Amino acid sequence: MKTIQQKAPALLVIIAFATVYIVWGSTYFFIKMAVNGFPPMLMGAFRFTTAGLLLLGYSAIKGDKIWVKRDIINSGISGLLTLFVATGIVIWVEQTLPSAMVAILVSASPIWFVLMDKVNYCTNFKNKAVILGVLVGFAGVMLLFGEQLSKALGGNYNPSMLFGVGLLLLGTVAWSAGSLFSKRKGSSSPALLNTAWQMIIAGLAFVPAAFAHHEVSSFNIQHVPTQAWMALVYLIIFGSIGAFSAYIWLLQVRPVTQVSTHSYINPVIALLLGMFFAGEHISVLQIAGLAIILFSVLLINLDKYRNAIKEKKPEAPVIKLTDLQANGKALKAC
């Protein structure tokens, strides 16, 4: 059964794509800016709790049924994996790693999706392009990780950077696991309501983490620079609410294969912002690793893109002999 896509104005589609491409790609840059004023766990608590409560309030105004125990539990598990663990790791490591490098490593998430999606193993691993894509992707990840490892063996390295790279690999696994869990469990609630609970539960999980790292006792709100406040507001309004809403809407009006192209654009946006506005240095090996990873994502999704193109092509009309005879009789009648 094919999903019927809603028709949407071309201008709105372009604006939504631009929002997902640019805003999600820019969040790495703004996280880096925010952690210059906020402790990382406390920043996560502020960001996701506020965004979640705003979405929950919007859902209540719309008349959605907010208290569905099963959906809240499933959203909570997914939110803890994707937002608390995965995004929390991104926030944490951006204290020491360049935002562009973080975005490059996170772009490897589609590889873990394939490896952890056991339900589709038979389909995925019968496809040579998918297998090649996974292998190429791992080569790109190892290239990025190997650069830090070679520095460690040579004695010229920052231990926190090597640890951060390892944490990011764990974070991409957590993101994939949480996303697959959410997809498998399903929900009777609207997507925005599920997202609201994901954010609220993840935001609350950041609170004890902030206490455990003594962030609350040492935090002085008066010492937070204006730039950090602006970055936090941007992450709440544009990153957590605006871009995700655009993403959900695009899934309803455009093919999934088109919407998934954000995986290619986001790390490039992050790379450019980090280099030109934050003065971050990205090595040739890191750029090569990004290119290899993006090529692997293309291979993994190659069949989906081909099928999408086939579906767009109109089928040639089949002319039956009976139709020709009927047309001939109609002409004679005229």
Side-chain angles (χ1 to χ4, degrees), residues 28-290:
Y28 300 96
F29 173 78
F30 284 100
I31 287 173
K32 185 78 173 179
M33 189 184 296
V35 294
N36 286 332
F38 289 94
M41 297 297 102
L42 205 54
M43 193 273 277
F46 280 140
R47 175 187 177 184
F48 291 116
T49 304
T50 305
L53 288 173
L54 288 172
L55 284 177
L56 190 67
Y58 175 72
S59 298
I61 292 171
K62 281 201 324 177
D64 295 333
K65 189 177 179 181
I66 292 175
W67 303 102
V68 181
K69 184 178 178 181
R70 176 180 171 275
D71 291 343
I72 293 173
I73 292 172
N74 290 338
S75 294
I77 294 171
S78 177
L80 288 173
L81 287 168
T82 57
L83 300 178
F84 176 62
V85 177
T87 308
I89 286 174
V90 168
I91 295 171
W92 180 265
V93 300
E94 285 213 29
Q95 294 177 103
T96 54
L97 291 180
S99 61
M101 184 178 179
V102 173
I104 290 170
L105 280 163
V106 171
S107 67
S109 292
I111 301 168
W112 297 112
F113 270 103
V114 174
L115 293 176
M116 299 176 72
D117 191 8
K118 293 182 179 179
V119 176
N120 292 312
Y121 266 10
C122 291
T123 303
N124 289 335
F125 289 100
K126 282 182 180 178
N127 189 315
K128 293 180 181 178
V130 171
I131 297 172
L132 182 60
V134 170
L135 294 175
V136 170
F138 267 111
V141 172
M142 288 301 103
L143 183 63
L144 294 172
F145 192 79
E147 184 179 18
Q148 296 302 319
L149 190 59
S150 64
K151 289 180 181 179
L153 294 173
N156 181 24
Y157 79 109
N158 184 342
S160 59
M161 289 189 71
L162 182 62
F163 181 65
V165 171
L167 275 179
L168 277 173
L169 292 178
L170 175 63
T172 56
V173 174
W175 180 273
S176 302
S179 300
L180 287 171
F181 176 85
S182 178
K183 182 179 179 180
R184 295 284 174 257
K185 290 297 180 180
S187 174
S188 59
S189 302
L192 285 180
L193 180 56
N194 290 328
T195 305
W197 282 117
Q198 286 177 14
M199 291 183 180
I200 290 170
I201 293 170
L204 293 176
F206 275 105
V207 175
F211 276 102
H213 287 91
H214 308 289
E215 293 181 357
V216 178
S217 59
S218 61
F219 178 65
N220 188 337
I221 197 169
Q222 295 179 346
H223 292 166
V224 179
T226 303
Q227 279 190 335
W229 277 113
M230 291 174 65
L232 179 61
V233 171
Y234 179 90
L235 290 169
I236 291 170
I237 296 176
F238 295 100
S240 296
I241 296 176
F244 188 81
S245 300
Y247 177 76
I248 294 297
W249 181 76
L250 281 172
L251 288 175
Q252 296 173 353
V253 300
R254 305 303 299 167
V256 176
T257 47
Q258 287 185 16
V259 183
S260 68
T261 53
H262 74 86
S263 298
Y264 303 93
I265 308 299
N266 292 160
V268 176
I269 296 293
L271 182 69
L272 294 174
L273 287 174
M275 290 176 65
F276 291 110
F277 293 98
E280 295 175 354
H281 172 70
I282 303 299
S283 69
V284 175
L285 277 178
Q286 289 168 356
I287 294 176
L290 171 63

